Amino acid sequence: MKRKYFYPSAIAVLTIGFWLFNNFYTPASYSDTNQKPVKNNVNDQYMPSATHGEIVAHNYFTLSYSEPHEQAEWVAYWLKREHLTYEDRKRPYFIEDPKVKTKSADWKNYRGSGYDRGHLCPAGDRRFSLQAYNETFYTSNISPQDRAFNAGIWNRLEQKTRSWCKKYGDLFIVTGGVLENGLAEIGEEDVDVPKMFYKIILRKKGDRFTALAFLMPNKERKEAFQSFIVPIDKVEQVTGIDFFKSMPKEVQDQLEANTFVDDWNF
DNA sequence: CTGCTATGC
DNA sequence: GCATAGCAG
């Protein structure tokens, strides 16, 4: 090889080798391809509407992805008693959701933004299996959250939710940021930064349903959780999402117009 | 628990 | 780029 070609060739080999190396070690998906895909782990009866989203069902949660906002408008899943395990798992890397056709945002949009990659379906709720845990690290399950909010009241609410699950049993949870026009954006892909986040928790109580809906600003607050409780109607009003649309109308109306603070131990 | 960043390969 | 360790709220 002539000397003048040595360095360009070496650089090319190293570049291609590096690319192969990275692609070999970075999984494209956290799904178990040997397992039959779960059509939908979430009962359709409880599924919200998609206002401008593409609904994607993973094995352990379902979401509606809003491409213009580069994040999910809602993430829905069951939290069951048997999910409440505390295996020590290693956090994997955030990767694009292979099931979102338009590609979910790259995690690098968040780097140096000042905002956390805040889980919508919490990793702490999906520790019962490796796949369940890893699935929560798809960037379709991530939203820009204020650091103190994510580690603060949002985290405390997630922990409280786990304690409710332990006490009351299975919970159906829908959560997300309030996506609207004119939000601040981060990264090359313009990931929107929600000003508000909501979380709706539903369970059966005897032969009826009871639910809690929280609407809170994307910043740390020291008030009690009760300060942020709203009727589900309020969350529908600000998000445009129709929750529990497949339930009988009377049930839905009654469920969404009220709060049920007394059904839940704070 | 919720995460980020620095450092080495 | 990944892996690990350390740190912070």
Side-chain angles (χ1 to χ4, degrees):
Chain A
M1 185 185 296
K2 285 185 180 173
R3 195 171 196 83
K4 62 184 281 201
Y5 293 127
F6 179 77
Y7 283 107
S9 301
I11 288 168
V13 166
L14 288 173
T15 303
I16 293 167
F18 199 56
W19 183 85
L20 287 170
F21 177 86
N22 287 327
N23 280 275
F24 182 80
Y25 281 100
T26 304
S29 170
Y30 291 134
S31 298
D32 180 356
T33 48
N34 293 320
Q35 184 178 330
K36 257 230 180 279
V38 172
K39 178 176 164 289
N40 194 344
N41 195 45
V42 179
N43 191 318
D44 287 336
Q45 181 186 0
Y46 303 106
M47 195 70 80
S49 66
T51 62
H52 35 235
E54 172 195 353
I55 293 182
V56 167
H58 290 295
N59 286 57
Y60 300 104
F61 67 87
T62 299
L63 63 92
S64 172
Y65 195 79
S66 173
E67 182 60 23
H69 301 95
E70 285 292 3
Q71 64 196 278
E73 57 173 347
W74 54 257
V75 170
Y77 64 100
W78 282 99
L79 181 61
K80 305 185 176 197
R81 272 214 183 92
E82 66 257 34
H83 292 160
L84 298 175
T85 63
Y86 298 92
E87 271 93 348
D88 190 18
R89 298 195 182 279
K90 199 179 77 166
R91 291 170 70 99
Y93 299 101
F94 289 102
I95 61 173
E96 288 180 1
D97 187 333
K99 290 189 175 179
V100 172
K101 292 188 185 67
T102 55
K103 296 282 187 185
S104 58
D106 192 283
W107 65 267
K108 291 184 206 67
N109 288 286
Y110 291 70
R111 189 170 54 190
S113 71
Y115 290 97
D116 273 17
R117 303 159 188 121
H119 279 82
L120 295 174
C121 176
D125 284 2
R126 304 281 88 157
R127 287 176 167 268
F128 53 89
S129 87
L130 179 62
Q131 186 193 343
Y133 187 70
N134 285 356
E135 274 183 356
T136 70
F137 286 80
Y138 288 140
T139 55
S140 52
N141 186 44
I142 300 301
S143 179
Q145 292 182 332
D146 177 85
R147 177 95 195 92
F149 169 72
N150 186 25
I153 192 168
W154 191 247
N155 184 24
R156 293 195 296 277
L157 180 58
E158 289 173 344
Q159 293 181 41
K160 189 69 179 176
T161 303
R162 285 190 279 272
S163 82
W164 280 325
C165 180
K166 185 177 182 182
K167 184 180 180 68
Y168 301 122
D170 298 356
L171 306 176
F172 182 74
I173 298 167
V174 189
T175 190
V178 176
L179 305 183
E180 51 196 327
N181 294 328
L183 291 173
E185 296 173 329
I186 57 171
E188 288 186 7
E189 292 178 90
D190 295 330
V191 180
D192 285 61
V193 182
K195 291 177 181 169
M196 308 282 287
F197 283 86
Y198 68 89
K199 185 186 291 289
I200 297 173
I201 306 169
L202 176 80
R203 78 171 204 267
K204 284 214 87 166
K205 186 184 182 190
D207 55 0
R208 67 178 177 88
F209 287 97
T210 181
L212 288 175
F214 298 89
L215 188 61
M216 41 181 69
N218 189 6
K219 62 176 99 166
E220 169 66 330
R221 297 288 290 269
K222 294 299 186 187
E223 293 98 309
F225 296 133
Q226 288 95 322
S227 313
F228 304 100
I229 291 176
V230 295
I232 294 172
D233 280 342
K234 173 66 177 176
V235 184
E236 295 197 335
Q237 181 189 320
V238 297
T239 63
I241 299 168
D242 186 5
F243 298 98
F244 312 117
K245 61 182 166 49
S246 300
M247 285 190 171
K249 180 140 192 346
E250 318 81 63
V251 175
Q252 191 179 159
D253 288 348
Q254 192 263 354
L255 189 60
E256 296 183 354
N258 298 292
T259 60
F260 299 88
V261 185
D262 294 341
D263 289 341
W264 305 74
N265 186 284
F266 284 85

